[in-house]
Amino acid sequence: MKRYIYGAGKYGHLLYDILSNYEIEISGFVVSFNDDLKLDSKTMLIDDCSYEDTDVIYIAVKDEKERRIIRKNLNIKGLRNDQIIDFGSFIKQNDYEKIYSKYCLLCGSRIKDFEEGGWTDSPLFYEKHIIGGGKRSNCICPVCKCNDRMRWVYYTICKHTDMLKEKCRVLYFAPEKQIVDTLFLEEKGMVFYGADISSRRGNIQVDMTNICFKNDYFDYVVANHVLEHIQDETAALREVYRVLSPGGKFIFSFPICTDCETFDDESIVSKEDRLRFYGQEDHVRLYGTDYLKRIESVCDLKIQCFSPQDDLPHEKILEYGFIKDDIVMIGRK
Ligand SMILES: [Zn+2]
Protein backbone atom coordinates (compact mmCIF):
# COMPACT_ATOMS: atom_id res chain seq x y z
CA MET A 1 0.00 0.00 0.00
CA LYS A 2 1.29 3.41 -0.97
CA ARG A 3 0.09 6.75 0.31
CA TYR A 4 0.27 9.93 -1.76
CA ILE A 5 -0.55 13.52 -0.98
CA TYR A 6 -2.44 15.42 -3.65
CA GLY A 7 -1.06 18.97 -3.54
CA ALA A 8 2.55 19.96 -3.08
CA GLY A 9 1.93 23.47 -1.83
CA LYS A 10 1.63 24.76 1.70
CA TYR A 11 -1.24 22.41 2.60
CA GLY A 12 0.50 19.41 1.06
CA HIS A 13 3.70 19.97 2.98
CA LEU A 14 1.80 20.72 6.15
CA LEU A 15 -0.05 17.42 5.89
CA TYR A 16 3.20 15.64 5.10
CA ASP A 17 4.73 16.97 8.33
CA ILE A 18 1.66 16.13 10.39
CA LEU A 19 1.59 12.54 9.09
CA SER A 20 5.36 12.20 9.50
CA ASN A 21 4.93 13.04 13.16
CA TYR A 22 2.77 9.91 13.39
CA GLU A 23 5.33 7.93 11.37
CA ILE A 24 2.90 7.49 8.50
CA GLU A 25 5.02 7.02 5.40
CA ILE A 26 4.16 9.05 2.30
CA SER A 27 5.41 7.84 -1.07
CA GLY A 28 5.20 11.22 -2.75
CA PHE A 29 3.22 14.26 -3.80
CA VAL A 30 1.02 14.44 -6.86
CA VAL A 31 -0.02 17.63 -8.63
CA SER A 32 -2.16 18.52 -11.64
CA PHE A 33 0.08 21.19 -13.15
CA ASN A 34 3.71 22.00 -12.81
CA ASP A 35 3.49 25.69 -13.71
CA ASP A 36 5.07 27.13 -10.62
CA LEU A 37 5.95 23.93 -8.81
CA LYS A 38 9.26 22.22 -9.01
CA LEU A 39 8.88 18.58 -9.92
CA ASP A 40 11.44 16.55 -8.06
CA SER A 41 11.87 12.90 -7.26
CA LYS A 42 9.04 13.18 -4.71
CA THR A 43 6.56 15.19 -6.78
CA MET A 44 4.80 13.69 -9.78
CA LEU A 45 2.20 14.84 -12.24
CA ILE A 46 -1.13 13.11 -11.65
CA ASP A 47 -1.23 11.87 -15.25
CA ASP A 48 2.16 10.18 -14.93
CA CYS A 49 1.06 8.03 -11.98
CA SER A 50 -0.48 4.61 -11.92
CA TYR A 51 -2.18 3.39 -8.78
CA GLU A 52 -2.76 0.03 -7.19
CA ASP A 53 -6.07 -0.99 -5.69
CA THR A 54 -4.72 -0.58 -2.19
CA ASP A 55 -3.14 2.86 -2.66
CA VAL A 56 -4.56 5.90 -0.91
CA ILE A 57 -4.51 9.57 -1.87
CA TYR A 58 -4.86 12.34 0.70
CA ILE A 59 -6.11 15.57 -0.80
CA ALA A 60 -4.40 18.59 0.74
CA VAL A 61 -5.61 21.59 -1.23
CA LYS A 62 -7.14 24.71 0.31
CA ASP A 63 -9.96 25.47 -2.09
CA GLU A 64 -13.06 23.36 -1.50
CA LYS A 65 -14.32 23.48 -5.07
CA GLU A 66 -10.90 22.42 -6.32
CA ARG A 67 -10.92 19.49 -3.92
CA ARG A 68 -14.25 18.30 -5.36
CA ILE A 69 -12.87 18.50 -8.92
CA ILE A 70 -9.77 16.58 -7.87
CA ARG A 71 -11.89 13.81 -6.35
CA LYS A 72 -13.92 13.57 -9.55
CA ASN A 73 -10.76 13.36 -11.67
CA LEU A 74 -9.33 10.68 -9.42
CA ASN A 75 -12.58 8.70 -9.78
CA ILE A 76 -12.20 8.96 -13.56
CA LYS A 77 -8.68 7.58 -13.22
CA GLY A 78 -10.22 4.53 -11.53
CA LEU A 79 -9.74 5.32 -7.84
CA ARG A 80 -12.60 4.41 -5.53
CA ASN A 81 -13.93 6.94 -3.03
CA ASP A 82 -12.52 4.96 -0.11
CA GLN A 83 -9.05 5.43 -1.61
CA ILE A 84 -9.45 9.22 -1.55
CA ILE A 85 -9.31 11.07 1.74
CA ASP A 86 -9.96 14.79 1.84
CA PHE A 87 -7.75 16.52 4.40
CA GLY A 88 -8.36 20.11 3.26
CA SER A 89 -11.09 20.99 5.73
CA PHE A 90 -9.33 19.06 8.51
CA ILE A 91 -6.25 21.24 8.18
CA LYS A 92 -8.35 24.39 8.00
CA GLN A 93 -10.54 23.52 10.98
CA ASN A 94 -7.63 22.59 13.19
CA ASP A 95 -5.79 25.77 12.39
CA TYR A 96 -2.64 23.82 11.58
CA GLU A 97 -1.67 26.59 9.23
CA LYS A 98 -1.27 28.87 12.22
CA ILE A 99 0.49 26.32 14.39
CA TYR A 100 2.95 25.19 11.72
CA SER A 101 3.45 28.72 10.50
CA LYS A 102 7.16 28.55 9.61
CA TYR A 103 8.70 26.96 6.54
CA CYS A 104 12.31 26.03 5.89
CA LEU A 105 13.16 26.61 2.25
CA LEU A 106 16.22 24.42 2.44
CA CYS A 107 14.75 21.14 3.70
CA GLY A 108 11.13 21.87 2.79
CA SER A 109 9.86 21.25 6.34
CA ARG A 110 6.86 23.02 7.75
CA ILE A 111 7.61 23.66 11.40
CA LYS A 112 6.20 25.37 14.47
CA ASP A 113 9.24 27.54 15.03
CA PHE A 114 12.85 28.12 14.21
CA GLU A 115 15.21 27.74 17.14
CA GLU A 116 17.49 30.25 18.75
CA GLY A 117 21.01 30.47 17.38
CA GLY A 118 23.86 32.79 16.54
CA TRP A 119 27.19 33.82 17.91
CA THR A 120 27.03 35.55 21.26
CA ASP A 121 30.50 35.72 22.78
CA SER A 122 31.64 39.10 21.52
CA PRO A 123 30.79 42.36 23.32
CA LEU A 124 30.76 43.95 19.87
CA PHE A 125 27.25 42.66 19.24
CA TYR A 126 25.97 44.61 22.20
CA GLU A 127 27.81 47.78 21.23
CA LYS A 128 27.06 47.89 17.52
CA HIS A 129 24.38 46.81 15.12
CA ILE A 130 25.90 44.05 13.02
CA ILE A 131 23.58 42.46 10.49
CA GLY A 132 23.36 38.76 11.12
CA GLY A 133 25.38 39.03 14.34
CA GLY A 134 24.56 38.11 17.91
CA LYS A 135 21.84 35.88 19.29
CA ARG A 136 18.78 35.46 17.09
CA SER A 137 15.48 33.82 17.95
CA ASN A 138 14.35 32.68 14.47
CA CYS A 139 17.66 31.22 13.43
CA ILE A 140 18.08 27.43 13.30
CA CYS A 141 15.79 25.00 11.47
CA PRO A 142 15.10 22.14 13.91
CA VAL A 143 15.08 19.64 11.02
CA CYS A 144 18.11 20.39 8.83
CA LYS A 145 19.94 22.73 11.27
CA CYS A 146 20.47 25.41 8.61
CA ASN A 147 20.55 29.01 9.83
CA ASP A 148 18.73 32.17 8.79
CA ARG A 149 21.59 33.47 6.65
CA MET A 150 21.91 30.23 4.68
CA ARG A 151 18.20 30.36 3.91
CA TRP A 152 18.49 33.91 2.59
CA VAL A 153 21.46 33.02 0.37
CA TYR A 154 19.52 30.10 -1.07
CA TYR A 155 16.44 32.25 -1.67
CA THR A 156 18.58 34.88 -3.44
CA ILE A 157 20.22 32.26 -5.65
CA CYS A 158 16.80 30.86 -6.65
CA LYS A 159 15.07 34.18 -7.14
CA HIS A 160 17.79 36.41 -8.56
CA THR A 161 20.02 34.11 -10.60
CA ASP A 162 19.54 31.36 -13.20
CA MET A 163 21.94 28.97 -11.51
CA LEU A 164 19.31 26.26 -11.17
CA LYS A 165 17.84 26.77 -14.61
CA GLU A 166 20.87 26.64 -16.87
CA LYS A 167 23.92 24.53 -17.54
CA CYS A 168 26.61 26.32 -15.62
CA ARG A 169 29.94 26.05 -13.83
CA VAL A 170 29.92 26.94 -10.16
CA LEU A 171 32.82 27.54 -7.79
CA TYR A 172 31.45 27.53 -4.26
CA PHE A 173 33.78 28.53 -1.42
CA ALA A 174 33.22 27.00 2.01
CA PRO A 175 30.07 25.19 0.80
CA GLU A 176 27.30 24.86 3.37
CA LYS A 177 25.98 21.30 3.28
CA GLN A 178 22.33 22.29 3.57
CA ILE A 179 22.51 24.69 0.62
CA VAL A 180 24.55 22.38 -1.59
CA ASP A 181 22.29 19.37 -0.93
CA THR A 182 19.27 21.44 -1.93
CA LEU A 183 20.97 22.87 -5.03
CA PHE A 184 21.69 19.35 -6.24
CA LEU A 185 18.05 18.36 -5.89
CA GLU A 186 17.15 21.05 -8.40
CA GLU A 187 20.03 21.70 -10.71
CA LYS A 188 19.96 21.06 -14.43
CA GLY A 189 23.46 20.10 -15.47
CA MET A 190 25.63 22.05 -13.06
CA VAL A 191 29.38 21.49 -12.91
CA PHE A 192 30.07 22.14 -9.25
CA TYR A 193 33.30 22.68 -7.33
CA GLY A 194 33.00 22.88 -3.56
CA ALA A 195 36.18 24.73 -2.65
CA ASP A 196 37.92 25.27 0.63
CA ILE A 197 41.32 26.43 1.79
CA SER A 198 41.42 23.31 3.94
CA SER A 199 41.54 19.88 2.27
CA ARG A 200 39.23 18.53 4.95
CA ARG A 201 36.21 20.42 3.65
CA GLY A 202 34.77 20.80 0.15
CA ASN A 203 35.86 18.56 -2.70
CA ILE A 204 38.74 20.68 -3.97
CA GLN A 205 41.38 22.65 -2.12
CA VAL A 206 41.47 26.23 -3.41
CA ASP A 207 43.09 29.37 -2.06
CA MET A 208 40.77 32.26 -2.89
CA THR A 209 43.73 34.60 -3.32
CA ASN A 210 45.28 32.29 -5.94
CA ILE A 211 42.53 30.34 -7.66
CA CYS A 212 43.74 27.33 -9.63
CA PHE A 213 41.41 27.78 -12.60
CA LYS A 214 41.79 29.56 -15.91
CA ASN A 215 40.36 32.98 -16.78
CA ASP A 216 36.63 33.35 -17.54
CA TYR A 217 35.90 29.76 -16.45
CA PHE A 218 32.98 30.07 -14.04
CA ASP A 219 29.42 31.29 -14.47
CA TYR A 220 29.04 31.64 -10.72
CA VAL A 221 31.37 32.02 -7.78
CA VAL A 222 29.76 31.82 -4.32
CA ALA A 223 31.42 32.90 -1.07
CA ASN A 224 29.16 33.36 1.90
CA HIS A 225 30.88 34.63 4.99
CA VAL A 226 34.31 33.96 3.53
CA LEU A 227 35.88 37.37 2.76
CA GLU A 228 35.94 38.44 6.41
CA HIS A 229 38.36 35.53 7.01
CA ILE A 230 40.80 36.53 4.25
CA GLN A 231 43.63 38.92 4.97
CA ASP A 232 44.44 39.76 1.34
CA GLU A 233 40.93 40.75 0.34
CA THR A 234 42.12 42.59 -2.80
CA ALA A 235 43.87 39.50 -4.18
CA ALA A 236 40.79 37.37 -3.47
CA LEU A 237 38.44 39.77 -5.25
CA ARG A 238 40.75 40.12 -8.25
CA GLU A 239 41.02 36.35 -8.50
CA VAL A 240 37.25 35.91 -8.34
CA TYR A 241 36.88 38.54 -11.05
CA ARG A 242 39.49 36.81 -13.20
CA VAL A 243 37.87 33.35 -13.13
CA LEU A 244 34.34 34.68 -13.75
CA SER A 245 33.11 34.55 -17.34
CA PRO A 246 31.87 37.84 -18.83
CA GLY A 247 28.37 38.24 -17.39
CA GLY A 248 29.26 35.72 -14.67
CA LYS A 249 28.09 36.41 -11.12
CA PHE A 250 29.79 36.55 -7.76
CA ILE A 251 27.29 35.78 -4.99
CA PHE A 252 28.61 36.74 -1.59
CA SER A 253 27.88 38.01 1.89
CA PHE A 254 29.62 38.89 5.13
CA PRO A 255 28.65 40.39 8.48
CA ILE A 256 28.09 44.15 8.05
CA CYS A 257 28.24 46.72 10.82
CA THR A 258 25.72 49.46 10.16
CA ASP A 259 27.23 51.85 12.75
CA CYS A 260 30.68 52.43 11.30
CA GLU A 261 32.95 52.11 8.29
CA THR A 262 34.99 48.97 7.59
CA PHE A 263 37.59 48.36 10.23
CA ASP A 264 40.72 46.23 9.97
CA ASP A 265 44.15 46.49 11.49
CA GLU A 266 46.89 43.96 10.72
CA SER A 267 48.32 44.32 14.21
CA ILE A 268 45.18 42.70 15.63
CA VAL A 269 46.17 39.04 15.63
CA SER A 270 45.23 37.38 18.90
CA LYS A 271 41.98 35.45 19.13
CA GLU A 272 40.80 37.62 22.02
CA ASP A 273 41.40 40.85 20.12
CA ARG A 274 39.80 39.58 16.96
CA LEU A 275 36.74 38.55 18.97
CA ARG A 276 36.68 41.99 20.58
CA PHE A 277 37.18 44.08 17.42
CA TYR A 278 35.71 41.94 14.65
CA GLY A 279 33.15 39.84 16.54
CA GLN A 280 34.69 36.42 15.87
CA GLU A 281 38.12 35.02 16.67
CA ASP A 282 38.90 33.93 13.11
CA HIS A 283 37.77 37.15 11.39
CA VAL A 284 40.33 39.65 10.12
CA ARG A 285 37.99 42.51 9.36
CA LEU A 286 34.63 44.02 10.25
CA TYR A 287 32.84 45.33 7.18
CA GLY A 288 30.98 48.58 7.63
CA THR A 289 28.78 51.00 5.72
CA ASP A 290 31.40 51.53 2.98
CA TYR A 291 31.38 47.83 1.98
CA LEU A 292 30.12 48.38 -1.57
CA LYS A 293 32.57 51.15 -2.42
CA ARG A 294 35.36 49.07 -0.97
CA ILE A 295 34.66 46.01 -3.13
CA GLU A 296 33.97 48.00 -6.28
CA SER A 297 37.25 49.86 -5.89
CA VAL A 298 39.33 46.70 -6.44
CA CYS A 299 37.37 44.93 -9.18
CA ASP A 300 34.93 45.94 -11.84
CA LEU A 301 31.91 44.00 -10.55
CA LYS A 302 28.50 45.69 -10.85
CA ILE A 303 27.03 44.89 -7.47
CA GLN A 304 23.39 44.64 -6.49
CA CYS A 305 22.29 44.04 -2.89
CA PHE A 306 19.34 41.87 -1.95
CA SER A 307 17.54 42.13 1.36
CA PRO A 308 14.42 40.32 2.63
CA GLN A 309 12.76 43.63 3.57
CA ASP A 310 12.93 44.78 -0.08
CA ASP A 311 11.84 41.47 -1.54
CA LEU A 312 9.10 40.12 0.68
CA PRO A 313 6.21 41.17 2.93
CA HIS A 314 6.69 40.97 6.69
CA GLU A 315 4.68 37.70 7.05
CA LYS A 316 6.85 35.90 4.49
CA ILE A 317 10.05 37.06 6.21
CA LEU A 318 8.72 35.53 9.43
CA GLU A 319 7.47 32.36 7.74
CA TYR A 320 10.82 31.68 6.04
CA GLY A 321 12.87 32.74 9.08
CA PHE A 322 14.96 35.47 7.45
CA ILE A 323 16.74 38.39 9.10
CA LYS A 324 14.83 41.34 7.67
CA ASP A 325 17.87 43.49 6.88
CA ASP A 326 20.16 40.61 5.88
CA ILE A 327 22.17 41.36 2.75
CA VAL A 328 23.37 39.10 -0.04
CA MET A 329 25.31 40.75 -2.83
CA ILE A 330 25.47 39.71 -6.45
CA GLY A 331 28.32 41.23 -8.45
CA ARG A 332 28.18 40.88 -12.23
CA LYS A 333 31.32 40.85 -14.36
ZN1 LIG B 1 15.42 22.99 7.33
Side-chain angles (χ1 to χ4, degrees), residues 26 41 63 117 135 141 168 198 203 205 238 251 287 293 324 327:
I26 299 298
S41 57
D63 185 77
K135 206 177 234 182
C141 166
C168 57
S198 152
N203 54 23
Q205 198 172 0
R238 288 193 176 146
I251 301 159
Y287 286 95
K293 249 196 322 198
K324 71 176 182 348
I327 294 175

Side-chain angles (χ1 to χ4, degrees), residues 170-183:
V170 179
L171 178 62
Y172 200 125
F173 283 96
E176 302 96 336
K177 187 182 181 308
Q178 293 93 331
I179 298 183
V180 175
D181 286 353
T182 313
L183 289 179

Side-chain angles (χ1 to χ4, degrees), residues 104 107 141 144 146:
C104 173
C107 66
C141 166
C144 72
C146 72

Side-chain angles (χ1 to χ4, degrees), residues 238-250:
R238 288 193 176 146
E239 277 293 90
V240 167
Y241 189 83
R242 180 183 67 76
V243 297
L244 274 177
S245 60
K249 286 173 176 165
F250 180 36

